[in-house]
C-alpha cells in the first residue's frame, strides 16, 4: 500500500540530518514498525514527487538559463524521471524515482536555493514501478508555470 508524506520530513535547514523514518502511512491502523521496516531500495516500487515553487523576484534571463541546466543536472544526478516545467517564475515538477533518488533531488534543490526550503514537496512511496515510473526526464522551458 502506498505511503504518502509531505515536506515534514524536511523540517530542518540541514535536511541531511532529518531522519528518513518520519513517514505517515495512508492506513493509520497499520503497525508503524512495518512501515519503518520497508525496503527503500525495492526495485519493484518507486516514489512520485509533486511540487511547485514560485520564486520572487522572478529569475533574470541569465538565472533562468542557469536554472534550466541546474534542474536537469540535479535530476540526472538523482536518477529521477518525469516532467519539470521551468519558467522565470519558478518550477512545477512531477517526477518519479527511487525513494532515495527523490529525497536526494529535494535536498539538492534546498541546498541550491533557499526558496526551496519552504517548498511543500508531496511524496507518494511504494508505487508499482511498472505502471507509475516515467520513462524519461523532460525539462520543459515555459513562459508561465500554470497555463490556462
Amino acid at each position: 500500500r502506498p505511503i504518502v508524506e509531505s515536506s515534514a520530513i524536511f523540517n530542518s535547514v540541514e535536511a541531511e540530518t532529518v531522519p528518513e523514518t518520519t513517514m505517515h502511512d495512508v492506513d493509520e491502523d497499520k503497525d508503524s514498525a512495518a512501515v519503518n521496516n520497508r525496503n527503500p531500495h525495492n526495485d519493484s516500487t518507486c516514489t512520485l514527487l509533486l511540487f511547485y515553487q514560485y520564486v520572487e523576484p522572478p529569475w533574470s534571463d541569465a538565472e533562468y538559463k542557469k536554472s534550466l541546466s541546474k534542474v536537469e543536472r540535479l535530476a540526472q544526478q538523482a536518477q529521477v524521471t518525469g516532467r519539470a516545467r521551468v519558467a522565470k517564475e519558478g518550477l512545477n515538477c512531477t517526477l518519479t524515482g527511487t525513494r532515495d533518488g527523490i529525497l536526494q533531488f529535494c535536498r539538492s534543490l534546498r541546498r541550491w536555493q533557499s526558496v526551496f526550503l519552504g517548498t511543500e514537496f508531496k511524496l507518494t512511496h511504494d508505487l508499482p514501478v511498472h505502471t507509475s515510473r516515467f520513462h524519461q526526464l523532460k525539462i520543459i522551458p515555459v513562459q508561465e508555470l500554470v497555463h490556462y
Side-chain angles (χ1 to χ4, degrees), residues 30-38:
K30 285 212 180 254
D31 179 14
S32 63
V35 172
N36 291 334
N37 288 329
R38 290 179 189 247

Side-chain angles (χ1 to χ4, degrees), residues 60-130:
S60 67
D61 288 343
E63 291 170 323
Y64 174 62
K65 282 185 175 184
K66 287 180 184 177
S67 297
L68 283 165
S69 60
K70 182 69 171 187
V71 170
E72 183 171 22
R73 187 168 49 256
L74 294 177
Q76 288 172 341
Q77 289 171 348
Q79 298 180 350
V80 299
T81 55
R83 295 180 202 93
R85 294 172 53 89
V86 183
K88 288 183 179 179
E89 62 188 2
L91 300 179
N92 184 343
C93 298
T94 303
L95 301 169
T96 56
T98 64
R99 181 178 189 278
D100 290 343
I102 291 292
L103 294 176
Q104 175 187 332
F105 179 77
C106 295
R107 289 182 178 125
S108 295
L109 286 177
R110 288 175 174 228
R111 281 191 302 270
W112 171 46
Q113 290 194 350
S114 62
V115 68
F116 294 105
L117 292 171
T119 302
E120 182 65 30
F121 295 108
K122 304 287 186 183
L123 301 101
T124 304
H125 301 292
D126 293 342
L127 295 170
V129 74
H130 65 283

Side-chain angles (χ1 to χ4, degrees), residues 14 19 24 48 94 114 138 140 142 146:
E14 306 226 342
H24 302 288
L48 172 68
T94 303
S114 62
K138 293 181 183 178
I140 306 166
V142 294
V146 180

